[in-house]
Amino acid sequence: MPIFEIEEYQQRLAETKKAMEKQGLDLLIVTDPANMNYLTGYDGWSFYVHQGLVVFQDLAEPVWFGRQQDSNGARITTWLKDENILGYEDHYVQSRTVHPYDVVADLIKDKGFGTKRIGVETDNYYFTARCLGHLEKGLPDATITDGELLVNWVRCIKSKAEIRYMKMAGQILENVMDTAVRLIEPGVREGDVAAEVYKAMIAGTPEFTGDYSAIIPIMPSGRRTTTAHLSWTDRTYQRDEIVLLELSGCKYRYHAPLSRTVITGRPTPEMEAISNTVIQGLNSMVDFIRPGIRAEEIEVKWRQAIAGSRVVKESRIGYAFGLNYPPDWGEHTISLRPGDTTVLEPGMTIHVMPGIWTNTLGFECSEAVVITEKGCECLAQVPRQLFVT
Amino acid sequence: MPIFEIEEYQQRLAETKKAMEKQGLDLLIVTDPANMNYLTGYDGWSFYVHQGLVVFQDLAEPVWFGRQQDSNGARITTWLKDENILGYEDHYVQSRTVHPYDVVADLIKDKGFGTKRIGVETDNYYFTARCLGHLEKGLPDATITDGELLVNWVRCIKSKAEIRYMKMAGQILENVMDTAVRLIEPGVREGDVAAEVYKAMIAGTPEFTGDYSAIIPIMPSGRRTTTAHLSWTDRTYQRDEIVLLELSGCKYRYHAPLSRTVITGRPTPEMEAISNTVIQGLNSMVDFIRPGIRAEEIEVKWRQAIAGSRVVKESRIGYAFGLNYPPDWGEHTISLRPGDTTVLEPGMTIHVMPGIWTNTLGFECSEAVVITEKGCECLAQVPRQLFVT
């Protein structure tokens, strides 16, 4: 059974259909695994083969399609009726001659939607160029158009139940971060700390266990901190070395990410200055965030706070996050950067993440916040500091 | 620095260019992170934004393109010259107005290839429908055609160095599988076993630590074993319950996957019969596999071995695997099923995986093998049996 009340899924579906109507879509093919989960509860590691939902404006339930051997997974994890679960035969998998979207095109024709206006998630990882090609070929009389991020934007404002899960993820995260900070020291293998970090993430708390995060623990050291997405190796930590930690707790696919920085020895004056500047900037953003402001205003606040320092930051300083699957816990909707005029509302969740990566070092200190009625609340309580071990 | 000798990368690049020439491609855009790693060593969790390699038939080195903040990752992990690392500006990330493939199109034009024949990986997760759209728009005079799986097929035969890493992954896997079998028992939380499985996968051995696998530990129990890709929850194991284990060791992104089945109590006669049949089928396949046979012949061997039993198996019973990133450790080339006429050669690596998922139960027992000069060798030594705990 899915993890929310069926009414909540139906509410989400109704919101999705409203957005579809605004865009003039008769149906929407949903391939983002997080969007599939959001609308139906579907939760399996089956997104490495083509799968999705077809949301018909005029039909009560979406149709799940996927590989035959995964269809019992849809029966177990979704609220959909059996008649709305369509497993395709195995010879469609990674075939050199046929493609699962041949089956999807047939499904759409069979339902009488072959001449309709169809939205697809054009920039989603799980909707490849070939998916579009087979769909266009199979539905020559349909109008296929862009439905990218339609459901992602519906996901933007979290319900109370969703926030409850994100706070559980936050509890896990506190253990995860504590584990990393406690274990990193010179002479220890990076992989051994990563192993304990994973264990903390999955073992969770005495009350509930955790789930895998959509991004691996990002924990590079030394020179590898000059870039955003390297992680552990099997070398051992050295003295006076920077270690970046971008980690997450995850519960029911809902995340609580956080970044902190550790130094195995004495920070240099440069490092202390960067740390002070970034934490000051982070503090000023967290104090500022509240409903009614625009996303880009948070970035202005950051720039004001770090003005006069030597910190240079040209990439975005945060993004919406929540329910997700690899390769990203970000929702690809709100970005904290110039030009993003999204007005914040209660229930939105943002990772405020002004990561610094220069050609000689890295520094990270972030907060994952949920927008409340009057301000914002951090999902986890971890001191905002440079950790010295 | 990358983990293979530069000569090995150059050899791979030469093979890739040969295959490109056969297909009449002047350049190939490589977006599969495993293919990127294979050709250059690039290894970072940055594939959630658009990135890739452009392999020019006439130029000595490919060009890496990706997000600016990841470009130091390319400097650290690849053998490419600095001039061949192109970081695009951050405002291209998840933008509503511009797209990274605008930059890629400009790069190709700047290099003088704007009217050439360009291959793209049309069904790769990381080459979306929108990537193709922006590329076509930016390169109106080019011929854009299918280069899907071109590098994957080059990857099919592993070098000695690659097999060495896969055997390291196999060593890790033995610990991982032992951990799971040892800890599963009634009353234990599924998530607590998953936590120890992750720890074993990453901590590796006293000689080397491990890496994250491209598929999470798949370890469903009870009713959830009726399908292929569910995993742990935070319930506790019950008595007389089936638990499927599809786990992997991973070293330098090279995998050694394996499936086994545990029962927490007494197997039913039905379960024992299935177990005996599948293991007999698996044995006969492993004994049969050698260079010179066709992939589909292995499936025939399986069907002969299980003939007369009540086991029904309609999906493929194995696939090529090796170097990979989420969401799949499979290489999407060889499938053990009717119609796959690939002739096996030494150095190919295949996960022989005849998973059974009925409407009431699941059973898995597999082997990951490397084809040798005269037969095949298992990457890990784990007894082929139904484990009773």
Side-chain angles (χ1 to χ4, degrees):
Chain A
M1 280 302 299
I3 54 160
F4 294 95
E5 300 291 328
I6 287 184
E7 291 68 27
E8 182 156 346
Y9 291 105
Q10 285 170 336
Q11 175 64 25
R12 296 168 180 184
L13 187 60
E15 293 294 331
T16 298
K17 287 184 176 181
K18 254 191 243 171
M20 286 167 61
E21 195 175 1
K22 266 193 198 157
Q23 292 192 30
L25 299 178
D26 300 306
L27 68 157
L28 177 68
I29 300 178
V30 173
T31 39
D32 183 327
N35 292 341
M36 291 176 68
N37 178 316
Y38 186 73
L39 294 176
T40 68
Y42 183 67
D43 182 29
W45 189 284
S46 51
F47 39 88
Y48 74 88
V49 295
H50 292 298
Q51 61 174 25
L53 300 175
V54 187
V55 179
F56 299 91
Q57 185 63 262
D58 302 340
L59 302 181
E61 287 189 10
V63 172
W64 179 96
F65 67 90
R67 189 180 187 179
Q68 181 64 47
Q69 68 184 36
D70 293 314
S71 55
N72 276 342
R75 289 186 183 93
I76 291 168
T77 62
T78 77
W79 58 276
L80 301 179
K81 290 198 191 87
D82 203 63
E83 68 204 49
N84 291 319
I85 293 170
L86 172 68
Y88 58 76
E89 289 177 35
D90 210 67
H91 69 274
Y92 284 96
V93 173
Q94 297 158 14
S95 162
R96 300 170 216 177
T97 52
V98 291
H99 194 276
Y101 273 75
D102 302 338
V103 179
V104 177
D106 286 343
L107 161 72
I108 289 170
K109 275 186 291 197
D110 290 349
K111 293 269 187 190
F113 284 72
T115 60
K116 300 289 188 168
R117 207 173 147 82
I118 300 172
V120 293
E121 296 178 325
T122 52
D123 213 22
N124 185 260
Y125 313 109
Y126 302 103
F127 190 77
T128 66
R130 196 177 284 185
C131 293
L132 180 59
H134 278 259
L135 202 63
E136 286 176 336
K137 198 175 157 199
L139 296 170
D141 301 322
T143 304
I144 299 172
T145 183
D146 199 2
E148 171 73 6
L149 300 184
L150 186 150
V151 182
N152 302 53
W153 280 105
V154 176
R155 275 162 51 202
C156 227
I157 297 177
K158 275 71 181 171
S159 71
K160 280 185 183 156
E162 289 181 288
I163 289 169
R164 193 169 67 238
Y165 294 149
M166 293 175 87
K167 287 185 174 174
M168 291 164 79
Q171 271 182 266
I172 295 172
L173 168 65
E174 289 175 3
N175 291 341
V176 169
M177 195 55 88
D178 179 65
T179 298
V181 171
R182 196 162 31 79
L183 295 179
I184 291 169
E185 59 178 284
V188 173
R189 294 193 302 181
E190 295 178 6
D192 283 328
V193 179
E196 294 292 345
V197 161
Y198 267 108
K199 179 179 166 178
M201 176 165 70
I202 306 301
T205 74
E207 291 73 37
F208 50 87
T209 57
D211 294 310
Y212 64 91
S213 56
I215 299 179
I216 56 161
I218 300 284
M219 34 195 298
S221 66
R223 185 183 167 217
R224 292 166 68 90
T225 65
T226 62
T227 183
H229 298 106
L230 301 188
S231 198
W232 75 91
T233 67
D234 51 11
R235 71 192 275 277
T236 56
Y237 294 110
Q238 306 299 304
R239 184 155 295 284
D240 295 331
E241 202 163 61
I242 298 167
V243 186
L244 300 182
L245 299 170
E246 186 172 8
L247 308 176
S248 182
C250 183
K251 186 62 191 169
Y252 300 133
R253 312 293 335 121
Y254 284 86
H255 290 78
L258 201 78
S259 298
R260 289 292 183 269
T261 301
V262 173
I263 189 149
T264 58
R266 278 172 62 90
T268 60
E270 182 196 12
M271 191 65 184
E272 280 194 333
I274 291 174
S275 169
N276 290 338
T277 302
V278 171
I279 290 171
Q280 187 185 319
L282 179 63
N283 289 342
S284 74
M285 288 191 282
V286 174
D287 290 346
F288 175 65
I289 291 173
R290 60 178 186 272
I293 62 171
R294 296 188 306 279
E296 62 182 0
E297 290 180 79
I298 302 169
E299 202 269 347
V300 171
K301 205 75 187 173
W302 157 260
R303 265 188 291 126
Q304 288 168 347
I306 67 164
S309 78
R310 297 169 77 176
V311 169
V312 177
K313 173 68 180 164
E314 287 174 352
S315 47
R316 67 177 181 181
I317 49 145
Y319 52 83
F321 73 96
L323 168 69
N324 235 320
Y325 287 85
D328 195 8
W329 57 50
E331 292 187 331
H332 301 191
T333 48
I334 302 167
S335 286
L336 304 187
R337 62 182 168 194
D340 193 321
T341 57
T342 313
V343 175
L344 299 195
E345 295 181 51
M348 288 179 172
T349 46
I350 293 184
H351 189 200
V352 186
M353 166 56 177
I356 305 297
W357 305 281
T358 77
N359 280 332
T360 55
L361 59 78
F363 181 81
E364 297 177 357
C365 189
S366 75
E367 288 291 351
V369 303
V370 49
I371 316 297
T372 58
E373 290 302 322
K374 295 197 166 166
C376 73
E377 186 184 347
C378 295
L379 283 177
Q381 303 304 319
V382 180
R384 286 177 210 155
Q385 64 173 77
L386 172 61
F387 288 90
V388 179
T389 66
Chain B
M1 280 302 298
I3 54 158
F4 294 95
E5 300 292 328
I6 288 185
E7 291 67 28
E8 182 156 346
Y9 291 106
Q10 285 170 337
Q11 175 63 25
R12 297 168 179 183
L13 187 60
E15 292 294 331
T16 298
K17 287 184 176 181
K18 254 191 244 172
M20 286 168 60
E21 195 175 0
K22 265 193 198 158
Q23 292 192 29
L25 299 178
D26 300 305
L27 68 158
L28 177 68
I29 300 178
V30 173
T31 39
D32 183 326
N35 291 341
M36 291 176 68
N37 179 317
Y38 186 73
L39 294 176
T40 67
Y42 183 67
D43 182 29
W45 190 284
S46 50
F47 39 87
Y48 74 89
V49 295
H50 292 298
Q51 62 174 25
L53 300 175
V54 187
V55 179
F56 299 90
Q57 185 64 261
D58 303 340
L59 302 181
E61 287 189 9
V63 172
W64 179 97
F65 67 89
R67 189 180 187 180
Q68 181 63 47
Q69 68 184 37
D70 293 314
S71 55
N72 276 342
R75 288 186 183 92
I76 291 168
T77 62
T78 77
W79 57 276
L80 301 179
K81 291 200 191 85
D82 203 63
E83 68 204 49
N84 291 320
I85 293 170
L86 172 68
Y88 57 76
E89 289 177 35
D90 210 67
H91 70 274
Y92 284 96
V93 173
Q94 296 158 14
S95 162
R96 300 170 217 178
T97 52
V98 291
H99 194 276
Y101 273 75
D102 302 338
V103 179
V104 177
D106 285 344
L107 161 72
I108 290 170
K109 274 186 289 196
D110 290 349
K111 293 270 186 189
F113 283 72
T115 60
K116 300 289 188 168
R117 207 173 148 82
I118 300 172
V120 293
E121 296 178 325
T122 52
D123 213 23
N124 185 260
Y125 313 110
Y126 302 102
F127 190 77
T128 66
R130 197 178 284 184
C131 293
L132 180 59
H134 278 259
L135 202 64
E136 286 177 335
K137 198 175 158 198
L139 296 170
D141 302 322
T143 304
I144 299 172
T145 183
D146 198 3
E148 171 73 6
L149 300 184
L150 186 150
V151 182
N152 302 53
W153 279 106
V154 176
R155 275 162 51 203
C156 228
I157 297 177
K158 274 71 180 170
S159 70
K160 280 184 184 157
E162 289 181 287
I163 289 169
R164 194 169 66 238
Y165 294 149
M166 293 175 88
K167 287 185 173 173
M168 291 164 79
Q171 271 182 266
I172 295 173
L173 168 65
E174 289 175 2
N175 291 341
V176 169
M177 195 55 88
D178 179 66
T179 299
V181 171
R182 196 163 30 80
L183 296 179
I184 290 170
E185 58 178 284
V188 173
R189 294 193 302 181
E190 295 178 6
D192 283 328
V193 179
E196 294 292 345
V197 161
Y198 267 108
K199 179 179 166 179
M201 176 165 69
I202 306 301
T205 74
E207 291 73 37
F208 50 87
T209 57
D211 294 310
Y212 64 91
S213 56
I215 299 179
I216 56 161
I218 300 284
M219 35 195 298
S221 66
R223 185 183 167 216
R224 292 166 68 90
T225 65
T226 62
T227 184
H229 297 107
L230 301 188
S231 198
W232 74 91
T233 67
D234 50 11
R235 72 192 275 278
T236 56
Y237 294 111
Q238 306 298 304
R239 185 155 294 283
D240 295 331
E241 202 163 61
I242 298 167
V243 185
L244 300 182
L245 299 170
E246 186 172 8
L247 309 175
S248 182
C250 182
K251 186 62 191 170
Y252 300 134
R253 312 292 336 120
Y254 284 86
H255 290 77
L258 201 78
S259 298
R260 289 292 183 271
T261 301
V262 173
I263 189 148
T264 59
R266 278 172 63 90
T268 60
E270 182 195 12
M271 191 64 183
E272 280 194 333
I274 291 174
S275 169
N276 290 339
T277 302
V278 171
I279 290 171
Q280 187 186 320
L282 179 64
N283 289 342
S284 74
M285 288 191 282
V286 174
D287 290 346
F288 175 66
I289 291 174
R290 59 177 185 273
I293 61 171
R294 296 188 306 278
E296 62 182 0
E297 290 180 80
I298 302 169
E299 202 269 347
V300 171
K301 205 76 188 171
W302 157 260
R303 264 187 291 127
Q304 288 168 347
I306 68 165
S309 77
R310 297 169 77 175
V311 169
V312 177
K313 172 69 180 163
E314 287 174 353
S315 47
R316 66 176 181 182
I317 50 144
Y319 51 83
F321 73 95
L323 169 70
N324 236 320
Y325 287 85
D328 196 7
W329 57 49
E331 292 187 330
H332 301 192
T333 48
I334 301 167
S335 287
L336 304 187
R337 62 182 168 194
D340 193 321
T341 57
T342 313
V343 175
L344 299 195
E345 295 181 50
M348 288 180 171
T349 46
I350 293 185
H351 189 200
V352 185
M353 166 55 176
I356 305 297
W357 305 280
T358 76
N359 279 332
T360 54
L361 59 79
F363 180 81
E364 296 178 358
C365 189
S366 74
E367 288 292 349
V369 303
V370 50
I371 315 297
T372 57
E373 290 302 322
K374 296 198 168 168
C376 74
E377 185 185 347
C378 294
L379 283 177
Q381 302 304 319
V382 179
R384 286 176 209 156
Q385 64 173 77
L386 171 61
F387 288 90
V388 179
T389 66

